[in-house]
Amino acid sequence: EELGLAYKYVLLDPKKGENKTPEYLKLNPTGKVPTLVDGDFVIFESGAICEYLAEKHQRFIPKAGSPEYYHCKQWNYFILTNLEPQALRVFSVDFFMEKNDVSGAIKKMALDILPRFLTPLNERLASEVYLCGKDFTVSDVFLITALGYIRHSNIVSDYANLTKYIERCSSRSAYKKVFA
């Protein structure tokens, strides 16, 4: 949506095993979603897909090889390996798990860890419009998605810059279209 490209969206229902068919497993041997088919090229994992599209179309990512490019990658991996797993734990407990001691401990652990990751993001956004500077990048796609997992809660309300950032990103037309 951010790139403004035409695409065909195929919804798979895991409850019906549509992500485990032999045809889909040829595209993505993990059976997870998403998977992107771009002509003869197939790639899975959302982070890899977003970086591929940004680099292929030379938009939403700094010039390859530049210091800004590697800082963008740094934020990408920070979000995907640190913030997103904790935010996803909160989301999973709140919406999909039975409420018991185990799920309570999982959520408490995530809530205890999240400030470690939210604080530097909030500080970064005190002086930047977007995570990598004045321009929206693939890092922002990852960050707004990860923050979306905890948007139902009041976790981010203690972080004024992140709250403003969410408002900025969620006002983008591509965001509105995806989450309409």
Side-chain angles (χ1 to χ4, degrees):
E1 287 301 324
E2 285 290 349
L3 289 167
L5 301 173
Y7 62 92
K8 180 181 176 187
Y9 181 79
V10 178
L11 185 63
L12 299 177
D13 187 345
K15 291 180 183 175
K16 294 179 182 175
E18 293 174 352
N19 60 319
K20 299 290 185 179
T21 64
E23 296 80 18
Y24 187 71
L25 291 172
K26 284 180 188 173
L27 300 173
N28 184 337
T30 70
K32 291 175 55 182
V33 293
T35 298
L36 174 73
V37 179
D38 184 13
D40 292 334
F41 182 71
V42 178
I43 188 169
F44 58 89
E45 285 300 322
S46 58
I49 291 168
C50 288
E51 285 187 349
Y52 163 74
L53 289 170
E55 290 184 29
K56 177 181 178 180
H57 297 281
Q58 299 179 357
R59 290 190 56 212
F60 305 116
I61 196 158
K63 184 179 183 216
S66 69
E68 296 82 7
Y69 174 82
Y70 292 107
H71 282 139
C72 182
K73 292 248 186 210
Q74 163 194 276
W75 286 115
N76 295 351
Y77 300 133
F78 172 81
I79 295 161
L80 295 173
T81 63
N82 294 292
L83 176 65
E84 187 177 59
Q86 302 309 324
L88 195 51
R89 284 182 178 98
V90 171
F91 182 80
S92 296
V93 168
D94 288 352
F95 292 99
F96 298 111
M97 298 176 93
E98 179 182 325
K99 306 304 180 257
N100 56 38
D101 291 344
V102 172
S103 62
I106 291 169
K107 184 171 179 179
K108 182 184 180 326
M109 177 193 68
L111 291 173
D112 289 346
I113 294 170
L114 274 169
R116 178 177 174 199
F117 306 129
L118 295 174
T119 299
L121 289 165
N122 192 62
E123 290 169 0
R124 171 78 177 165
L125 291 166
S127 61
E128 299 294 348
V129 176
Y130 294 109
L131 193 53
C132 294
K134 63 179 176 41
D135 296 321
F136 185 86
T137 67
V138 68
S139 300
D140 298 297
V141 172
F142 296 147
L143 181 53
I144 194 65
T145 301
L147 291 172
Y149 290 122
I150 53 176
R151 196 160 183 194
H152 69 280
S153 70
N154 65 352
I155 296 168
V156 178
S157 63
D158 292 335
Y159 302 90
N161 300 319
L162 278 171
T163 300
K164 291 175 194 168
Y165 172 83
I166 290 169
E167 292 169 6
R168 261 192 312 280
C169 289
S170 61
S171 70
R172 295 177 66 85
S173 61
Y175 182 95
K176 288 178 183 178
K177 187 172 180 181
V178 168
F179 293 101

